[in-house]
Amino acid sequence: MINIFSQKDTLHKPFLFFIFLFFSSAMYAQIFPAKNYPKGYFIYPVDARISLAANFGELRANHYHMGLDCRTDQVQNKIVKAAAQGYIARVSIAPFGFGRAIYINHPNGLTTVYGHLNAFFPALEKYVKEKQYELQSWNVSLDFSPTQFPVKQGQLIAHSGNTGGSQGPHCHFEIRDTKTGKVLNELLFGLPIPDNVPPTIVRLAMYDRNKSTYSQVPQYIPIKKENGKYITVKNIIPVNSDKISFGISANDKQSGSNNPNGIYEAAIFLDEQLLSAFQLDSISYDETRYVNANVDYKTRAAGGPYIQHLSRLPGYPQGVYKDINGDGVIELTDRNIHQVKIVVKDANGNTSVLTFKIKKGLIVETGKPNDSSSYFQQKEFIPGFVNVFENESLQLYLPPSTLYDSVAFTHSEKNSASPASYSEIYSILSGLVPAQNNFTVRIKTNKAVEENLSDKILMKRSWKENSDVVKAKREGDWYSAKFNAFGDFELIADNEPPVINASFHDDANLSHARSIVITPKDNNDDIKNFRAELDGKWLRFTNDKGRLFIYTFDEKCPAGKHELKISIEDEAGNRAERILHFTR
């Protein structure tokens, strides 16, 4: 066989470039398996102007956005339709997440999900309400057989709303593999959503991969767009490390919309050799928290932008990434000029390219710290291993799958000013370091716990303005709890019952009222259980978004005098009860 690249007299440089480009492009196209999703099988699910507020793979706190947010013309109660023939397999109602949601199974092995709904269609609404009273729970997840609620394509199934974890009126729409539960990128199914707009590359960041991504600030490299292509402002980027990686901030838009959505795919090349790529498709809810490894979590948590790594962090299984030649980390063994290319695509194949050159410069050796340095007091926690720390008052156990990247373990302690505290406040790592799974924190009390408080001890985690509490498990003088985020931890006692506030006073006349509103208050903002009884029978109160409990008057409360009994319980097990009387 003749090596065409050695025949310098017979091949011209443009032809060489064309062949090189052809092979690299062909290789790039084959990174991920071709999608054979059915085109035209599903219709757009909302009777409203076709427009998206968010797409699949958009970056969110601790998760990818897993569907399409279909706009509803900025109003509620637009008609939501079955995207294809099938049967309603499940209905869920919860204060957060999808709020009120419908799941439809289809004959082709796929499931569609419709979230943030208001009322279901009448027959389903009636059935769900009856089940809520039967189970004595507003928060329900109900499964159905194929014969209970069959639907046809285009059939009214609900009206759109703003329930659950929604910030405005819209319908969340998903397509899932019924068997595996994987959520598929809905934009690959031929829905009538026009898009001929290529992604926008906003910024380029470089990392020194001789260090953890959590122990550095990325180096931002200015970029610009010229003649439809992205390049760096500086022609050659000097590199003061022999091991580097890159990340980008990028977004995508649909035709006729200025809303910046998430990108679908990105790949990085070195001297036209494909190193690594990621593609956002086929992700389960068990995997969605891995978004914290796809992005520079520290930069985002500190208030900076989203930056997506073009290399796979060592504690993240391949997931959305595809390793081709390594994991995307570039090792420079010479001082030659090298070409880097980053290719970004959306689900319609619209493409943007960023090219630039790098050259290794002088690497400054900082030397090792002496024995008195705090460096030697830090233990490195490594992903893929069990990591443990313990001293006389604090113990920490991290399972192997907790971390995405190595991190120098740091902790400190300080006195708590709270009279409810039963330990020091322990700062464990930082809220700038993410955790994939739960880890165990054990803290020893610093004073005797009174017997009446022994089962009222909570472990509190704080970071900046946010805090949460978990009921701690007692083990002698130690208490333990599980968390999936680092920060400041302490033991607190809570024997203060919640307070029940109502929208009316005792013996009120509510003949003209439309609803009853109960607003519980707890010193740790954690209401665990709520129960309402009207004349001794369970009464359904909604709790959308977890703030207010609301009962809208219906046939369950006829005219006459009534007694309403409200009972609530907080995380520590403290209970409160209030009895009110009113007339209808």
Side-chain angles (χ1 to χ4, degrees), residues 13-30:
K13 289 183 179 179
F15 186 58
L16 279 170
F17 175 78
F18 174 77
I19 292 175
F20 205 41
L21 184 63
F22 173 80
F23 280 113
S24 64
S25 299
M27 185 179 181
Y28 177 69
Q30 297 171 9

Side-chain angles (χ1 to χ4, degrees), residues 273-277 311-312 318 322-329:
Q273 182 183 54
L274 177 60
L275 302 182
S276 178
S311 60
R312 182 175 57 83
Q318 284 209 9
K322 183 79 170 179
D323 295 346
I324 308 299
N325 291 287
D327 56 7
V329 176

Side-chain angles (χ1 to χ4, degrees), residues 166-426:
S166 171
Q167 303 299 315
H170 72 280
C171 176
H172 178 89
F173 177 66
E174 289 183 6
I175 300 175
R176 300 183 181 182
D177 183 304
T178 306
K179 185 176 181 180
T180 66
K182 295 271 190 177
V183 186
L184 310 178
N185 194 318
E186 299 79 12
L187 292 176
L188 301 174
F189 285 81
L191 293 170
I193 303 170
D195 182 7
N196 58 9
V197 181
T200 300
I201 303 175
V202 179
R203 64 178 55 83
L204 174 66
M206 182 167 65
Y207 298 83
D208 179 353
R209 294 305 292 273
N210 287 306
K211 300 185 290 186
S212 167
T213 56
Y214 306 134
S215 62
Q216 61 183 292
V217 175
Q219 178 184 341
Y220 294 111
I221 301 169
I223 62 174
K224 60 182 179 179
K225 190 175 184 180
E226 284 187 355
N227 302 319
K229 293 184 179 181
Y230 293 89
I231 58 174
T232 53
V233 172
K234 197 170 184 177
N235 186 36
I236 300 176
I237 307 303
V239 177
N240 292 320
S241 172
D242 57 0
K243 188 182 291 185
I244 58 172
S245 67
F246 292 94
I248 57 168
S249 296
N251 59 63
D252 185 42
K253 299 175 182 177
Q254 277 73 46
S255 297
S257 172
N258 289 321
N259 199 69
N261 298 326
I263 62 173
Y264 171 58
E265 193 174 286
I268 184 167
F269 298 75
L270 179 68
D271 298 327
E272 292 297 339
Q273 182 183 54
L274 177 60
L275 302 182
S276 178
F278 69 79
Q279 185 185 83
L280 299 181
D281 177 51
S282 189
I283 303 171
S284 73
Y285 273 88
D286 290 337
E287 301 166 321
T288 190
R289 190 176 174 85
Y290 277 117
V291 67
N292 293 334
N294 184 207
V295 304
D296 180 344
Y297 183 91
K298 178 186 175 183
T299 293
R300 180 61 182 176
Y306 275 119
I307 301 171
Q308 289 178 274
H309 286 298
L310 295 167
S311 60
R312 182 175 57 83
L313 295 183
Y316 178 28
Q318 284 209 9
V320 302
Y321 287 90
K322 183 79 170 179
D323 295 346
I324 308 299
N325 291 287
D327 56 7
V329 176
I330 297 173
E331 295 192 36
L332 296 175
T333 59
D334 56 47
R335 296 185 183 276
N336 298 329
I337 295 174
H338 296 276
Q339 179 86 23
V340 178
K341 179 171 69 174
I342 296 169
V343 179
V344 182
K345 289 187 176 184
D346 66 19
N348 272 35
N350 300 305
T351 303
S352 293
V353 178
L354 166 63
T355 58
F356 55 97
K357 297 174 183 177
I358 59 175
K359 183 180 186 299
K360 187 168 71 171
L362 178 64
I363 300 177
V364 178
E365 297 291 345
T366 58
K368 295 182 179 180
N370 58 40
D371 290 344
S372 63
S373 169
S374 62
Y375 176 87
F376 290 101
Q377 307 304 317
Q378 296 179 339
K379 174 183 178 181
E380 188 174 48
F381 277 7
I382 302 173
F385 292 86
V386 172
N387 291 285
V388 176
F389 171 82
E390 55 185 3
N391 62 20
E392 65 280 358
S393 56
L394 173 68
Q395 295 180 357
L396 184 66
Y397 174 85
L398 274 61
S401 58
T402 305
L403 298 173
Y404 309 122
D405 201 353
S406 60
V407 58
F409 176 71
T410 59
H411 81 286
S412 62
E413 61 182 78
K414 62 182 179 181
N415 293 330
S416 174
S418 171
S421 178
Y422 277 77
S423 74
E424 311 300 320
I425 298 175
Y426 296 97

Side-chain angles (χ1 to χ4, degrees), residues 10 38 99 101 110 115 141 143 154 228 265 332 419 460 512 515 557 566 580:
T10 58
L110 298 177
S141 178
D143 295 322
E265 193 174 286
L332 296 175
K460 180 179 180 180
H512 299 291
S515 62
C557 184
I566 303 294
L580 294 161

Side-chain angles (χ1 to χ4, degrees), residues 546-563:
R547 294 192 291 267
L548 307 175
F549 291 84
I550 302 174
Y551 166 68
T552 301
F553 285 110
D554 58 9
E555 75 282 356
K556 299 293 183 180
C557 184
K561 292 186 176 181
H562 298 282
E563 178 184 272

Side-chain angles (χ1 to χ4, degrees), residues 34-258:
K35 311 299 179 184
N36 296 315
Y37 302 151
K39 301 289 181 68
Y41 187 89
F42 297 108
I43 63 172
Y44 192 74
V46 183
D47 272 352
R49 182 177 65 90
I50 296 176
S51 178
L52 300 182
N55 65 349
F56 184 94
E58 193 164 299
L59 306 173
R60 301 287 176 85
N62 296 316
H63 70 285
Y64 292 108
H65 187 254
M66 300 283 272
L68 304 181
D69 278 354
C70 304
R71 296 185 189 273
T72 56
D73 300 332
Q74 300 181 331
V75 298
Q76 299 187 40
N77 295 316
K78 289 288 186 176
I79 290 174
V80 177
K81 307 173 290 187
Q85 177 186 352
Y87 70 94
I88 294 177
R90 181 183 168 213
V91 163
S92 65
I93 297 177
F96 302 106
F98 294 154
R100 293 170 64 93
I102 290 176
Y103 302 70
I104 298 178
N105 284 1
H106 304 283
N108 64 350
L110 298 177
T111 296
T112 50
V113 183
Y114 313 76
H116 309 308
L117 305 172
N118 277 346
F120 306 134
F121 68 91
L124 181 60
E125 185 74 29
K126 180 176 181 294
Y127 181 91
V128 170
K129 183 176 180 178
E130 290 172 352
K131 278 294 182 181
Q132 288 174 316
Y133 272 92
E134 178 184 325
L135 299 171
Q136 297 190 4
S137 176
W138 168 77
N139 190 341
V140 294
S141 178
L142 305 174
D143 295 322
F144 302 95
S145 71
T147 59
Q148 282 181 280
F149 292 102
V151 294
K152 297 180 180 179
Q153 186 177 65
Q155 176 181 326
L156 166 71
I157 58 171
H159 288 88
S160 67
N162 186 35
T163 59
S166 171
Q167 303 299 315
H170 72 280
C171 176
H172 178 89
F173 177 66
E174 289 183 6
I175 300 175
R176 300 183 181 182
D177 183 304
T178 306
K179 185 176 181 180
T180 66
K182 295 271 190 177
V183 186
L184 310 178
N185 194 318
E186 299 79 12
L187 292 176
L188 301 174
F189 285 81
L191 293 170
I193 303 170
D195 182 7
N196 58 9
V197 181
T200 300
I201 303 175
V202 179
R203 64 178 55 83
L204 174 66
M206 182 167 65
Y207 298 83
D208 179 353
R209 294 305 292 273
N210 287 306
K211 300 185 290 186
S212 167
T213 56
Y214 306 134
S215 62
Q216 61 183 292
V217 175
Q219 178 184 341
Y220 294 111
I221 301 169
I223 62 174
K224 60 182 179 179
K225 190 175 184 180
E226 284 187 355
N227 302 319
K229 293 184 179 181
Y230 293 89
I231 58 174
T232 53
V233 172
K234 197 170 184 177
N235 186 36
I236 300 176
I237 307 303
V239 177
N240 292 320
S241 172
D242 57 0
K243 188 182 291 185
I244 58 172
S245 67
F246 292 94
I248 57 168
S249 296
N251 59 63
D252 185 42
K253 299 175 182 177
Q254 277 73 46
S255 297
S257 172
N258 289 321

